[in-house]
Amino acid sequence: MKTKIIVLSFVTLLFVNTIHSQTKTTVNASNSEISDNLDLKAVASIFGDSENLEDFEKRLNDPKLKISNLDLNDDHRVDYLRVIESVEGNTHLIVIQAILEKDIFQDVATIEVEKDRNNNMQVQVVGDPYMYGNNFIYEPVYVHSPLLFSYFWAPNYRIYYSRWNWGYYPRFYNYWRPFPIYRYNRNVRVWINYNNHYNYVNIRRSSVAINLHRNIRANSYELRNPERSFERRNNSVSNRYELDQIRTSTRNNRSDNNNVISPRTTTRTQTPRNNSQSASPRQNTRTDIETPRRNQSESNAPRGGQNNEQTPRNSSPRENRNSNSRR
């Protein structure tokens, strides 16, 4: 009998540990969303504030700003983001790539700037499909024209190509550990210029930029980890914008459910309110008794207004005797 009890206890413990380990694995897998770690509105904002592309790359990797929170190679350090450029005619393609190992890069996003015949600028910030899904695009409308636009079409303009690589970084750069997502979101909002507008669209407008990108796109991380593509991470939506819509709707539903008051709670809150508003018969009896007393004291007051009320205070019997003795 004791042997059976011991065996059953061992089997039960083994079963519980198996369920616990499976639950932990599921939770960890459901919490990894790569696109949460780089806000493209922040990228568009600092692009508009930069003096040139070298300054733009510096802002992307500044340890004080912490615009990025990406750690694709899982080394517990935020990846350095390099910037390279390709130009054809009136089109500038700026590619942002994460440095993962020596000569191993992964595209994160592109910025496509094009000038039409009327000298109007069209800017699109496009998330890489592996990271953000298909056609996740913001069109920033800047309050002031970015300074770097004035250099893009200068006769002596030099195409920018970052010279930094794995283990070889500028002096200002220091590693930092990735933040939890809620802390990253709180930090990155500080660096978004909300005077600008960031319009979401789902069509790339420059065919020239698309062709340029085919020649210089880097996808080493994508080839190594095809199972971590946005399509497989989120099979119910096509891109990051649709994912944000679902998240917002879910949060609103939760807040609405929290604001609903149950019938039991309503009864408790209303009961004391009704008792305080309705007086008991005993209280009514007291007020009926006290009211005549106040009226009686008022009726015994001397007539003649305010002067008659002050007279008894000054002419008391004691004062009258003192006045007679003086006489």
Side-chain angles (χ1 to χ4, degrees):
M1 186 67 180
K2 291 182 180 180
T3 305
K4 291 182 179 180
I5 294 174
I6 294 172
V7 172
L8 287 174
S9 300
F10 179 76
V11 172
T12 302
L13 289 174
L14 182 62
F15 180 73
V16 170
N17 289 333
T18 303
I19 294 177
H20 181 66
S21 61
Q22 289 177 351
T23 304
K24 288 177 64 178
T25 303
T26 303
V27 170
N28 290 337
S30 64
N31 285 337
S32 88
E33 175 48 50
I34 300 174
S35 61
D36 285 336
N37 294 283
L38 183 63
D39 191 321
L40 293 191
K41 288 183 180 180
V43 173
S45 182
I46 65 172
F47 177 78
D49 294 335
S50 301
E51 297 179 3
N52 49 49
L53 291 183
E54 183 178 4
D55 182 40
F56 174 57
E57 182 175 343
K58 180 178 179 180
R59 292 171 186 253
L60 276 177
N61 298 283
D62 193 334
K64 297 178 181 178
L65 303 184
K66 295 180 173 63
I67 297 298
S68 174
N69 199 50
L70 284 171
D71 179 20
L72 295 180
N73 56 4
D74 296 324
D75 62 352
H76 305 294
R77 296 176 175 181
V78 173
D79 303 323
Y80 186 90
L81 301 179
R82 75 169 190 169
V83 174
I84 62 176
E85 182 186 23
S86 182
V87 179
E88 181 179 328
N90 289 334
T91 303
H92 286 247
L93 173 71
I94 299 98
V95 183
I96 304 171
Q97 296 177 340
I99 301 177
L100 306 180
E101 296 178 21
K102 183 175 176 58
D103 298 326
I104 300 297
F105 311 102
Q106 172 62 47
D107 278 18
V108 172
T110 61
I111 302 176
E112 300 166 5
V113 182
E114 195 168 66
K115 182 175 69 170
D116 62 17
R117 296 177 180 177
N118 298 321
N119 292 328
N120 295 320
M121 309 292 179
Q122 177 67 55
V123 183
Q124 287 193 319
V125 181
V126 184
D128 189 82
Y130 179 82
M131 304 279 296
Y132 298 92
N134 293 320
N135 299 322
F136 179 64
I137 306 168
Y138 279 115
E139 288 184 348
V141 180
Y142 298 108
V143 177
H144 304 289
S145 179
L147 180 61
L148 51 77
F149 285 0
S150 60
Y151 301 109
F152 273 178
W153 289 273
N156 57 347
Y157 179 77
R158 297 180 62 183
I159 298 175
Y160 182 78
Y161 199 99
S162 177
R163 56 194 177 98
W164 308 113
N165 205 326
W166 178 259
Y168 181 64
Y169 303 114
R171 291 182 179 179
F172 72 85
Y173 180 72
N174 291 315
Y175 290 113
W176 69 90
R177 294 179 66 87
F179 288 143
I181 295 302
Y182 75 93
R183 283 188 58 195
Y184 169 71
N185 290 334
R186 185 172 58 188
N187 170 74
V188 78
R189 291 191 190 103
V190 177
W191 306 110
I192 299 177
N193 186 349
Y194 288 99
N195 293 321
N196 304 324
H197 296 281
Y198 308 94
N199 303 320
Y200 169 77
V201 297
N202 56 8
I203 299 175
R204 293 177 73 174
R205 303 189 186 278
S206 175
S207 58
V208 176
I210 294 174
N211 292 330
L212 290 174
H213 192 204
R214 289 170 181 164
N215 299 326
I216 59 175
R217 184 172 185 263
N219 61 343
S220 299
Y221 182 81
E222 177 182 353
L223 295 176
R224 292 181 179 182
N225 303 276
E227 75 284 353
R228 297 198 68 190
S229 67
F230 186 91
E231 183 179 4
R232 296 194 182 183
R233 297 193 312 266
N234 306 278
N235 54 14
S236 60
V237 294
S238 63
N239 62 20
R240 173 59 193 244
Y241 181 80
E242 293 183 7
L243 178 62
D244 287 339
Q245 299 302 306
I246 293 177
R247 287 176 171 179
T248 302
S249 177
T250 303
R251 285 194 298 266
N252 291 337
N253 291 335
R254 288 176 181 174
S255 62
D256 291 341
N257 292 333
N258 291 335
N259 292 330
V260 174
I261 302 175
S262 62
R264 184 176 181 181
T265 306
T266 305
T267 305
R268 288 184 177 180
T269 55
Q270 289 180 353
T271 301
R273 190 179 300 170
N274 293 334
N275 289 339
S276 62
Q277 293 176 354
S278 60
S280 63
R282 185 175 181 180
Q283 290 176 341
N284 291 336
T285 305
R286 288 182 179 178
T287 53
D288 291 339
I289 293 173
E290 291 176 356
T291 302
R293 289 181 181 176
R294 287 196 296 268
N295 293 336
Q296 185 177 0
S297 62
E298 292 175 358
S299 63
N300 292 335
R303 299 179 181 178
Q306 296 178 352
N307 295 331
N308 293 334
E309 290 177 358
Q310 296 176 356
T311 302
R313 188 182 305 171
N314 298 329
S315 58
S316 62
R318 186 175 181 179
E319 292 177 352
N320 290 336
R321 285 196 301 270
N322 292 335
S323 62
N324 291 336
S325 63
R326 291 172 186 171
R327 290 176 184 175

